[in-house]
Amino acid sequence: MVKNFIRCSVLLFIVVFNPLASEDFQRFNVAFELLINQEYQRSSGELMRLLEDDPSDFDALYFSVAVEQTRILDYDSYNLESARFVQYADSVRTSLENTLGNLTGSDSVRCAFYIANITGGIGIIQAKAGRWFDAVRNAISSVNTLRDLTDKDPTLAEAKLGIGVFDYYLSNSLRWVPFTENRAKRGIKAVRDALNAPSPFDLAAKNSLCWILIDEEEFAEADSLAQSVLDLAPENTIFLKIRALIALWTGRYSRAEKLALQLIDASDSKTPVNWSDLVTGYYILINCHQHNGREAELVRDADKILGRTIPPEFKDVSHIESHLKHIRDTSRIFRVN
């Protein structure tokens, strides 16, 4: 439950409604397009320029945190950056809390929404770093605020995403408790409602729904949803990885191999290298070689990734460590044979 909740939260943080002035919205569109294409440094640069023009721009301030969290979760770099991120996010949250009292109307609602999302985002990073008590406390606080906002405005689809994800995974972790199935269904419905958020914010809902559908073994819909994003951003490794894993898990090895090679190329070409996605790509590729009995190719490609100097802070990430162990053990078996 926790693993998939964190996976689906990579893009969860960026969902927001946007009653912004047209000129500002165009400038945000540049930052959002860069974010979707995982060009995090350039996206942050666009937001910093906006803040230089107007230091009181609480929209840009919020998005500066959102971009950072998305980058950290994408790269699985929380071992390196969780403390720095929590400190920065907390400072932005305090700034927004101080600003909130001076706002009215849609500005006030939007700022409250940002504060709730930052609180939830801090919780996600804390969970990744193993600080479970603080993570749960922040998650509950965030969702309570989001519920208050949707009670006041039931059309607020953006807030429904965080509520839906929370309800679904909480329900799944308590399957033994009576009547929790209905809560899971409500959670899925809330996430589907969030698909109606304006582009590109619907991408967050699509990412979350993909992992929920995978959890429900609705692989075809999850694959189709991921492909709809790749039609817009073909090199987005968040959704490319989803499709590659689905292909592997459903036994479509030819497709899995093709997607794994795309994932490897895209991850290795990034600056810095996305070690998490790169290792996952090789993990999928090695499994395809193993299924097809291609011993020479398996050993060759295992040597490629095992010969790379992966920074220790990434090798210690649980799924990277697990994937590398599988690659190492499998290649050892084939070498012996």
Side-chain angles (χ1 to χ4, degrees):
M1 172 266 187
V2 171
K3 183 184 295 183
N4 278 350
F5 171 75
I6 293 172
R7 281 172 171 171
C8 84
S9 298
V10 172
L11 284 171
L12 173 60
F13 201 53
I14 69 170
V15 177
V16 60
F17 55 103
N18 245 309
L20 301 172
S22 59
E23 183 180 350
D24 281 346
F25 184 72
Q26 291 174 2
R27 294 184 69 182
F28 276 121
N29 271 350
V30 174
F32 295 155
E33 183 176 354
L34 291 167
L35 177 60
I36 293 167
N37 286 290
Q38 298 167 289
E39 297 186 50
Y40 301 114
Q41 187 173 359
R42 292 180 62 195
S43 181
S44 293
E46 289 291 326
L47 295 168
M48 290 303 106
R49 278 188 282 276
L50 195 58
L51 283 167
E52 287 173 4
D53 292 341
D54 181 6
S56 67
D57 187 340
F58 65 89
D59 297 292
L61 188 60
Y62 164 74
F63 286 123
S64 72
V65 180
V67 170
E68 274 298 280
Q69 184 190 329
T70 305
R71 179 185 62 79
I72 291 170
L73 291 173
D74 184 7
Y75 275 79
D76 281 310
S77 59
Y78 46 86
N79 283 348
L80 275 175
E81 303 184 86
S82 62
R84 180 194 61 79
F85 170 81
V86 169
Q87 183 179 23
Y88 175 61
D90 190 51
S91 70
V92 171
R93 178 173 59 180
T94 299
S95 178
L96 293 180
E97 287 171 343
N98 292 335
T99 300
L100 181 60
N102 300 319
L103 301 175
T104 59
S106 62
D107 285 347
S108 175
V109 174
R110 194 165 74 254
C111 188
F113 177 77
Y114 292 161
I115 293 168
N117 261 15
I118 289 176
T119 301
I122 290 172
I124 290 169
I125 296 297
Q126 289 171 330
K128 291 286 257 180
R131 295 175 55 187
W132 295 109
F133 179 81
D134 290 335
V136 171
R137 176 175 54 83
N138 278 309
I140 292 173
S141 175
S142 174
V143 170
N144 285 342
T145 301
L146 294 175
R147 291 194 200 280
D148 288 342
L149 290 172
T150 55
D151 286 344
K152 295 173 183 176
D153 183 1
T155 67
L156 203 60
E158 299 77 13
K160 292 181 181 179
L161 177 55
I163 295 169
V165 168
F166 182 86
D167 282 349
Y168 175 78
Y169 286 106
L170 178 64
S171 175
N172 271 10
S173 68
L174 299 173
R175 288 176 187 253
W176 53 275
V177 178
F179 311 116
T180 56
E181 181 180 356
N182 288 336
R183 185 167 187 169
K185 290 179 179 178
R186 289 198 304 270
I188 295 173
K189 183 183 182 304
V191 175
R192 288 190 182 277
D193 288 344
L195 294 176
N196 295 320
S199 180
F201 313 115
D202 58 338
L203 298 180
K206 288 184 178 181
N207 178 60
S208 299
L209 186 56
C210 277
W211 287 110
I212 288 173
L213 291 169
I214 289 170
D215 201 42
E216 296 290 309
E217 298 186 358
E218 298 289 344
F219 297 112
E221 185 180 357
D223 183 73
S224 177
L225 206 55
Q227 182 58 54
S228 71
V229 178
L230 292 171
D231 289 339
L232 302 173
E235 295 296 311
N236 186 294
T237 56
I238 293 171
F239 290 91
L240 190 58
K241 177 166 59 178
I242 288 173
R243 288 205 70 215
L245 286 169
I246 288 172
L248 176 66
W249 293 333
T250 56
R252 299 182 179 184
Y253 293 100
S254 178
R255 176 187 293 182
E257 181 174 351
K258 178 181 177 182
L259 292 169
L261 289 170
Q262 293 177 21
L263 180 60
I264 289 168
D265 289 342
S267 304
D268 211 6
S269 66
K270 293 184 183 298
T271 304
V273 172
N274 189 320
W275 293 107
S276 176
D277 288 348
L278 184 66
V279 171
T280 298
Y282 273 103
Y283 168 80
I284 296 168
L285 184 61
I286 295 302
N287 275 278
C288 292
H289 289 328
Q290 183 178 13
H291 173 79
N292 292 316
R294 296 196 296 255
E295 299 182 14
E297 290 87 346
L298 188 153
V299 171
R300 178 200 65 200
D301 289 330
D303 285 345
K304 286 181 182 178
I305 187 60
L306 294 175
R308 297 290 293 268
T309 304
I310 302 174
E313 57 269 17
F314 292 102
K315 292 177 74 173
D316 290 340
V317 174
S318 59
H319 75 270
I320 296 177
E321 183 180 27
S322 175
H323 288 345
L324 288 172
K325 182 179 185 304
H326 176 81
I327 293 170
R328 190 179 301 109
D329 291 347
T330 303
S331 65
R332 186 181 298 121
I333 291 171
F334 274 72
R335 289 178 202 279
V336 170
N337 293 338

